[in-house]
Amino acid sequence: MEAQSNISSILVPDFLLICFPNYQTWQHWLSLPLSLLFLLAMGANATLLITIRMEASLHEPMYYLLSLLSLLDIVLCLTVIPKVLAIFWFDNKSIGFSACFLQMFVMNSFLTMESCTFMVMAYDRYVAICKPLQYPSIITDQFVVRAAIFVATRNGILTMPIPIFSSQLRYCARIIKNCICTNMSVSRLSCDDITFNKLYQFVIGWTLLGSDLILIVLSYSFILKAVLRIKAEGAVAKALSTCGSHFILILFFSTVLLVLVITNLARERIPPDVPILLNILHHLIPPALNPIVYGVRTREIKQGIRNLLRRF
């Protein structure tokens, strides 16, 4: 068994990423919108981070949570999109064994961290609207630090076994029919039984993302109930506009994940290029939209961006 494992590791020193196996001629055309979205995501998140850092009036817990979300978005984009564009532009399909599993870890852990951050931000809005008098004593700088530690620790520890289990498998092939190193795309190349690997990812994924979504829905349900009781003119419309756009973005994040899971489960009936494209877009569209919906729609941040532009 040990000799066989050594042979396998020699035969598979790296992997080859084959994007869109049925429509490889589309890659150059697809690279243009992906590049524009990538630049938008990086520019918008960087602008938001710089604005919050430079503007003293934005040094508050709510904006620190926005900074955390932007940092997660930037890391996710940088982990996935440059490699995808390198494949499209330079046909650089090779990815090292360790680099593949590092990418797998970052994708799994940071996606769940982003979901958890959405949940913390929903709780922040719940306290701000439903318990406004207690907000300064509940949502403090210490709360943000503890929340950030919780987000990183919970998701980092629980998702770490996924790439570890995959890296211990014996591989008989090296061609990954995907643009990125997803667990299922890589594990299918193994000679070993991957039932436990698939089961662990399924249980952990649904537990983390499902629990976050339930708490988010509960928070916004309480917010909606409290908002409808407000009798001040224009207050209801303003609160619904802000929270509604946040909730829609969170639903988009969760819905794309759900569609991605369904397409992977029904891959025999769906062209293989569909889940590949959804995988790429899920690492690109939310990072591009998050700073716009959460940041630019906020009056204080818009004013901070104007002040930043005046300085430079």
Side-chain angles (χ1 to χ4, degrees), residues 182-308:
T182 64
N183 182 40
M184 290 298 99
S185 297
V186 176
S187 299
R188 290 192 194 108
L189 306 180
S190 173
C191 316
D192 298 328
D193 182 15
I194 61 170
T195 303
F196 180 75
N197 191 310
K198 292 167 64 176
L199 182 63
Y200 183 85
Q201 181 176 18
F202 180 82
V203 172
I204 288 298
W206 280 106
T207 300
L208 295 178
L209 299 174
S211 60
D212 290 342
L213 184 60
I214 289 171
L215 291 173
I216 289 168
V217 171
L218 284 174
S219 296
Y220 281 105
S221 298
F222 288 127
I223 288 172
L224 180 62
K225 186 177 179 181
V227 163
L228 293 177
R229 293 176 181 171
I230 300 175
K231 296 182 180 180
E233 185 178 354
V236 174
K238 182 179 178 181
L240 287 178
S241 174
T242 303
C243 294
S245 58
H246 294 184
F247 188 61
I248 288 171
L249 191 58
I250 293 167
L251 279 181
F252 174 80
F253 174 87
S254 305
T255 302
V256 173
L257 269 182
L258 182 61
V259 171
L260 189 56
V261 170
I262 293 172
T263 53
N264 274 290
L265 292 175
R267 59 182 178 274
E268 294 180 359
R269 301 179 182 178
I270 297 174
D273 300 307
V274 173
I276 292 174
L277 180 60
L278 285 174
N279 243 322
I280 296 173
L281 293 178
H282 191 255
H283 290 85
L284 194 53
I285 293 179
L289 292 180
N290 286 341
I292 296 173
V293 173
Y294 278 97
V296 178
R297 287 181 61 108
T298 305
R299 180 172 56 84
E300 292 80 6
I301 290 182
K302 284 193 289 188
Q303 184 59 45
I305 293 173
R306 292 192 193 100
N307 294 340
L308 195 66

Side-chain angles (χ1 to χ4, degrees), residues 75-286:
V75 173
L76 273 173
C77 272
L78 290 175
T79 302
V80 173
I81 305 305
K83 180 60 181 177
V84 173
L85 294 177
I87 296 172
F88 288 177
W89 290 342
F90 310 114
D91 203 32
N92 183 12
K93 300 176 181 178
S94 176
I95 184 169
F97 196 81
S98 299
C100 183
F101 293 109
L102 177 61
Q103 186 189 64
M104 185 186 299
F105 169 71
V106 173
M107 288 190 301
N108 284 304
S109 61
F110 276 70
L111 276 175
T112 52
M113 286 182 197
E114 188 161 343
S115 172
C116 193
T117 304
F118 280 136
M119 182 264 291
V120 175
M121 294 173 73
Y123 175 72
D124 169 79
R125 293 299 84 204
Y126 161 75
V127 176
I129 293 176
C130 298
K131 300 180 179 180
L133 297 179
Q134 300 174 21
Y135 182 83
S137 60
I138 296 176
I139 309 298
T140 61
D141 291 350
Q142 290 76 17
F143 169 84
V144 175
V145 172
R146 289 195 297 267
I149 293 172
F150 171 74
V151 167
T153 305
R154 185 197 78 162
N155 299 289
I157 291 176
L158 292 178
T159 58
M160 188 178 294
I162 296 174
I164 291 177
F165 292 152
S166 293
S167 66
Q168 300 304 309
L169 297 172
R170 295 178 300 115
Y171 288 94
C172 306
R174 61 192 291 253
I175 296 178
I176 301 172
K177 293 183 179 180
N178 205 329
C179 297
I180 52 182
C181 289
T182 64
N183 182 40
M184 290 298 99
S185 297
V186 176
S187 299
R188 290 192 194 108
L189 306 180
S190 173
C191 316
D192 298 328
D193 182 15
I194 61 170
T195 303
F196 180 75
N197 191 310
K198 292 167 64 176
L199 182 63
Y200 183 85
Q201 181 176 18
F202 180 82
V203 172
I204 288 298
W206 280 106
T207 300
L208 295 178
L209 299 174
S211 60
D212 290 342
L213 184 60
I214 289 171
L215 291 173
I216 289 168
V217 171
L218 284 174
S219 296
Y220 281 105
S221 298
F222 288 127
I223 288 172
L224 180 62
K225 186 177 179 181
V227 163
L228 293 177
R229 293 176 181 171
I230 300 175
K231 296 182 180 180
E233 185 178 354
V236 174
K238 182 179 178 181
L240 287 178
S241 174
T242 303
C243 294
S245 58
H246 294 184
F247 188 61
I248 288 171
L249 191 58
I250 293 167
L251 279 181
F252 174 80
F253 174 87
S254 305
T255 302
V256 173
L257 269 182
L258 182 61
V259 171
L260 189 56
V261 170
I262 293 172
T263 53
N264 274 290
L265 292 175
R267 59 182 178 274
E268 294 180 359
R269 301 179 182 178
I270 297 174
D273 300 307
V274 173
I276 292 174
L277 180 60
L278 285 174
N279 243 322
I280 296 173
L281 293 178
H282 191 255
H283 290 85
L284 194 53
I285 293 179

Side-chain angles (χ1 to χ4, degrees), residues 53-93:
R53 174 68 181 85
M54 299 291 290
E55 284 295 315
S57 61
L58 299 179
H59 294 175
E60 297 179 5
M62 180 179 75
Y63 303 112
Y64 293 149
L65 292 175
L66 282 174
S67 299
L68 176 60
L69 185 65
S70 286
L71 283 173
L72 295 175
D73 284 337
I74 288 174
V75 173
L76 273 173
C77 272
L78 290 175
T79 302
V80 173
I81 305 305
K83 180 60 181 177
V84 173
L85 294 177
I87 296 172
F88 288 177
W89 290 342
F90 310 114
D91 203 32
N92 183 12
K93 300 176 181 178

